[in-house]
């Protein structure tokens, strides 16, 4: 399972991949459109003024059997007409994706973190009708900003099956001086294991208040709701589901991926947390990590030992690889389990998945502690509108929600306004809050750009946006189970 990659070849990690595929830049990148600056606000091209697509992809959402490492899981995933479902564009490219639905229920695709025109945002019932079984839907939009993104179903709990894959937008302003580049997808896995599915799991969670929690002592599926040792940095319950497996690029620890390079080479690692209910704490044995991008946007580089990555968040790091075989470990926070891979630059025995090392035991860095690079800054300005967001909910009964300015109704904004969303989390659980179509600037983090913000129990986070992209935009927790039970609303342009 080892192979090495040139700078222009990338290990892309969709769950539905068979083996470690290396995918060269897909599509013909004859970019007629000039690259946009990372920080430039909209307006974003709509179907009336979009250029011709320069990257095309044909996908099918369908039932499939995948091998997560000696374990076959019956699940739903994406298959691509040519090669892998991972997509790569360059900033400014227009992307066309035709998705055919061969599932037994309706589906959709959301392009997580991408500032695109509203009709392509992929939220059924809000920006488009559901894509029904047998139908094909075309998404056509510009990918304006470079960065590490991903796409996933926005229908029900489909995200917690295999319906997600990386979307890498190359940024001409990035220094591409790395020798190797790897995309690393973290995931929590239950679908198709011992008869479980995300929907059966939600039924168990919803049944807890009706005596279902007694099942926790009876073995079987109910065990998956028990909790592990709390992570002190996260406070409260880090997640609601104790998954049977945690994956890096689709593989369990004992069948782990190996990323190979040569000692002294410079690697770029693009991490995506595609999990539904798991915050990961990530570290690479024997190395410090130089963080270069957060949620796709460049930051002032800083060296760290480990970081927390919540659902929907992405982080890019650079590292000069040492000489040896190194553990790349992602602890499932609060769940006493882990995802695991190996980076290899020399012969020798690989570390075991259970191995622990100083970097993994270090105090984890939260992504909100970074500061934006100059070129990522949202233009400065006075706040025109303050909006209060209150997160609500609890485990029993299993029900989550959010209130905007005290009401159980969508928030509103006027085009051109600068809006500050003050998000408060009085619940006992951390929530990664995600807004579609915009990338916030966090005034508490020197204007760090983020589309997904982890809000810890008891915390309040301010997040600013410039209303430059008309439409109705979903705003929700990126815990799929919280979203599905009500922690979702929207932001509407008046
Ligand atoms: Cu949540």
């Amino acid at each position: 399972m080892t192979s090495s990659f040139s700078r222009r070849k990338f290990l892309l990690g969709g769950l539905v991949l068979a083996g470690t595929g290396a995918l060269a830049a897909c599509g013909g990148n004859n970019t007629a459109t000039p690259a946009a600056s990372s920080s430039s606000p909209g307006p974003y091209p709509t179907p009336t003024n979009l250029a011709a697509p320069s990257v095309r992809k044909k996908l099918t959402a369908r039932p499939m059997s995948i091998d997560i490492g000696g374990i076959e899981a019956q699940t739903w995933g994406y298959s691509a007409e040519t090669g892998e479902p991972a997509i790569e564009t360059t900033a400014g490219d227009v992307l066309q994706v035709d998705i055919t639905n061969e599932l037994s229920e309706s589906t959709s695709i959301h392009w997580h973190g991408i500032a695109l025109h509203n009709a392509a945002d992929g939220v059924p019932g809000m920006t488009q009708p559901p894509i029904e079984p047998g139908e094909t839907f075309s998404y056509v939009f510009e990918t304006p900003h470079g960065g590490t993104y991903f796409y996933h179903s926005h229908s029900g709990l489909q995200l917690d099956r295999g319906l997600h894959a990386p979307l890498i937008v190359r940024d001409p302003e990035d220094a591409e001086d790395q020798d190797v580049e790897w995309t690393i997808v973290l995931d929590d896995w239950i679908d198709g294991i011992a008869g479980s599915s995300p929907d059966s799991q939600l039924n168990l969670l919803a049944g807890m208040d009706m005596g279902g929690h007694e099942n926790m002592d009876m073995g079987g599926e109910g065990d998956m709701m028990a909790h592990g040792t709390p992570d002190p940095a996260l406070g409260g319950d880090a997640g609601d589901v104790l998954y049977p497996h945690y994956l890096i690029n689709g593989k369990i620890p004992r069948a782990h991926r190996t990323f190979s390079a040569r000692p002294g080479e410079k690697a770029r690692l693009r991490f995506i947390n595609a999990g539904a209910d798991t915050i990961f704490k990530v570290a690479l044995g024997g190395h410090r990590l130089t963080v270069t991008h957060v949620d796709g946007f460049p930051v002032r580089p800083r060296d760290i030992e480990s970081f927390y990555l919540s659902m929907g968040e992405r982080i890019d790091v650079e590292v000069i690889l040492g000489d040896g075989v190194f553990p790349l470990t992602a602890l499932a926070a609060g769940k006493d389990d882990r995802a695991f891979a190996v980076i290899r630059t020399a012969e020798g025995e690989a570390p075991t998945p259970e191995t622990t090392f100083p970097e993994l035991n270090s105090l984890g860095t939260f992504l909100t502690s970074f500061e934006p690079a100059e070129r990522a800054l949202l233009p400065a300005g006075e706040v025109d509108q303050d909006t209060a967001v209150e997160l609500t909910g609890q485990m029993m009964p299993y029900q989550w929600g959010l209130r905007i300015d005290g009401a159980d109704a969508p928030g509103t904004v006027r085009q051109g306004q600068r809006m500050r969303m003050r998000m408060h989390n009085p619940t006992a659980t951390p929530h990664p809050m995600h807004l579609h179509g915009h990338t916030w600037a966090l005034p508490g983090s020197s204007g760090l750009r983020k589309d997904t913000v982890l809000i810890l129990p008891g915390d309040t986070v301010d997040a600013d946006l410039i209303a430059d992209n008309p439409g109705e935009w979903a705003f929700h927790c990126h815990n799929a189970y919280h979203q599905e039970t009500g922690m979702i609303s929207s932001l509407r342009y008046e």
Side-chain angles (χ1 to χ4, degrees):
M1 193 72 69
T2 67
S3 47
S4 61
F5 299 88
S6 73
R7 187 173 68 80
R8 297 299 302 183
K9 286 188 173 178
F10 315 100
L11 182 61
L12 292 155
L15 278 172
V16 297
L17 313 187
T20 45
L23 181 72
C26 51
N29 286 0
N30 50 345
T31 50
T33 321
S37 138
S38 286
S39 59
S40 68
Y44 302 101
T46 64
T48 56
N49 60 357
L50 270 171
S54 48
V55 180
R56 293 169 188 265
K57 194 88 170 174
K58 277 193 181 354
L59 297 175
T60 303
R62 61 175 180 84
M64 57 178 66
S65 176
I66 63 167
D67 175 7
I68 61 173
I71 300 168
E72 288 287 324
Q74 294 297 323
T75 189
W76 296 350
Y78 295 116
S79 61
E81 187 186 54
T82 51
E84 305 183 355
I87 296 175
E88 183 186 319
T89 70
T90 297
D93 276 350
V94 172
L95 171 64
Q96 173 168 345
V97 176
D98 303 323
I99 169 77
T100 298
N101 181 8
E102 292 184 1
L103 304 172
S104 57
E105 59 184 59
S106 66
T107 193
S108 56
I109 298 181
H110 170 58
W111 312 92
H112 183 108
I114 302 285
L116 40 52
H117 67 92
N118 193 241
D121 193 46
V123 180
M126 187 177 295
T127 65
Q128 67 171 91
I131 307 168
E132 298 296 343
E135 288 183 353
T136 296
F137 188 90
S138 294
Y139 292 93
V140 187
F141 58 91
E142 186 185 287
T143 54
H145 305 138
T148 300
Y149 302 92
F150 70 127
Y151 67 88
H152 60 78
S153 168
H154 214 280
S155 300
L157 293 168
Q158 290 179 7
L159 164 70
D160 204 18
R161 298 179 189 260
L163 290 166
H164 56 73
L167 169 55
I168 305 301
V169 183
R170 307 210 72 81
D171 188 344
E173 292 185 54
D174 280 351
E176 295 221 351
D177 58 350
Q178 303 86 16
D179 301 296
V180 291
E181 177 176 309
W182 300 310
T183 298
I184 295 167
V185 180
L186 310 177
D187 200 4
D188 43 21
W189 193 270
I190 191 171
D191 195 32
I193 303 296
S196 291
S197 71
D199 297 297
S200 72
Q201 191 57 35
L202 180 60
N203 286 338
L204 282 170
L205 288 166
M208 285 178 77
D209 58 318
M210 298 183 296
H213 54 289
E214 289 168 16
N215 291 337
M216 290 171 73
D217 300 318
M218 295 168 61
E221 205 172 21
D223 283 348
M224 294 167 187
M225 293 188 302
H227 284 95
T229 312
D231 183 310
L234 294 173
D237 300 328
D240 305 341
V241 179
L242 201 59
Y243 286 78
H245 302 293
Y246 297 90
L247 315 179
I248 286 180
N249 290 11
K251 295 297 181 192
I252 60 173
R254 70 169 184 266
H256 62 78
R257 302 283 188 185
T258 298
F259 302 93
S260 295
R262 285 193 291 277
E265 286 192 322
K266 188 180 196 178
R268 179 176 187 170
L269 282 67
R270 297 174 179 263
F271 290 91
I272 300 166
N273 184 345
D277 175 71
T278 304
I279 300 168
F280 289 98
K281 182 186 183 186
V282 182
L284 171 61
H287 293 79
R288 292 173 69 84
L289 310 168
T290 304
V291 178
T292 62
H293 298 70
V294 164
D295 283 6
F297 283 66
V299 298
R300 292 169 62 173
R302 200 174 98 218
D303 288 355
I304 61 168
E305 291 188 287
S306 65
F307 59 84
Y308 287 99
L309 196 68
S310 65
M311 302 79 87
E313 287 188 308
R314 293 89 60 214
I315 186 172
D316 294 16
V317 307
E318 285 181 353
V319 57
I320 305 295
L321 296 169
D323 189 346
V325 194
F326 307 100
L328 175 63
T329 301
L331 296 177
K335 299 182 175 184
D336 299 334
D337 206 346
R338 62 185 64 192
F340 177 79
V342 163
I343 294 182
R344 173 181 290 280
T345 65
E347 297 295 317
E349 204 166 313
T352 63
E354 297 74 30
T355 189
T356 191
F357 47 92
E359 292 83 2
L360 194 59
N361 293 329
S362 69
L363 204 60
T365 300
F366 285 104
L367 270 49
T368 46
S369 71
F370 291 92
E371 296 184 356
E374 192 77 23
R375 67 186 170 102
L377 290 171
L378 194 69
E382 293 289 309
V383 174
D384 301 302
Q385 181 187 340
D386 280 291
T387 290
V389 175
E390 177 102 344
L391 310 181
T392 65
Q394 68 290 309
M395 291 296 289
M396 287 191 267
Y398 194 79
Q399 185 77 52
W400 302 92
L402 63 86
R403 297 174 70 77
I404 300 178
D405 285 332
D408 197 5
T412 57
V413 68
R414 278 210 305 281
Q415 188 156 1
Q417 284 198 321
R418 190 183 188 90
M419 179 182 194
R420 173 159 298 173
M421 303 173 73
R422 174 159 293 178
M423 296 180 274
H424 176 53
N425 178 12
T427 78
T429 299
H431 300 284
M433 298 306 295
H434 174 53
L435 176 66
H436 292 204
H438 304 74
T439 303
W440 285 308
L442 307 185
S445 307
S446 306
L448 176 71
R449 303 298 297 279
K450 271 191 120 326
D451 54 67
T452 308
V453 182
L454 182 64
I455 307 178
L456 296 176
D459 266 9
T460 299
V461 175
D462 285 352
D464 294 354
L465 63 87
I466 292 175
D468 59 4
N469 198 5
E472 179 174 8
W473 298 98
F475 168 53
H476 61 91
C477 178
H478 222 274
N479 180 308
Y481 295 85
H482 297 184
Q483 176 185 342
E484 185 65 7
T485 57
M487 199 174 250
I488 179 167
S489 186
S490 67
L491 180 63
R492 281 181 187 158
Y493 282 59
E494 288 176 334

